[in-house]
Amino acid sequence: HLIAKYDFFDPDENLLSGAISRYTLGVELFPLNILEVKVQARISELDKADFDNQPDPEYLVQFHTWF
């Protein structure tokens, strides 16, 4: 499965600052019928006016198993 997500979070809706936009791209792989591997990359943007203080990209690797 391919994953593409956009998240927007604004903790204070009355102010124009403090908003976070997050873009996520990833894939879910099922190499065995009892194993899932999820790999994602996430890029976050804080207050579009503050380009000098942007967070680094985040990477996620998860393994799920069941029986």
Side-chain angles (χ1 to χ4, degrees):
H1 298 123
L2 297 176
I3 301 168
K5 294 192 295 186
Y6 171 74
D7 299 311
F8 180 80
F9 176 71
D10 189 357
D12 190 354
E13 296 175 2
N14 296 326
L15 299 177
L16 296 177
S17 63
I20 301 170
S21 295
R22 184 178 299 147
Y23 305 92
T24 304
L25 293 173
V27 63
E28 292 178 346
L29 304 170
F30 298 89
L32 301 170
N33 62 354
I34 62 166
L35 179 65
E36 173 191 12
V37 180
K38 183 186 293 187
V39 180
Q40 293 181 351
R42 182 181 297 156
I43 298 172
S44 299
E45 289 182 358
L46 304 175
D47 296 333
K48 295 189 184 286
D50 188 12
F51 285 111
D52 295 334
N53 193 18
Q54 296 298 321
D56 292 331
E58 300 171 298
Y59 302 99
L60 171 75
V61 177
Q62 289 182 327
F63 297 94
H64 297 135
T65 186
W66 55 90
F67 53 90

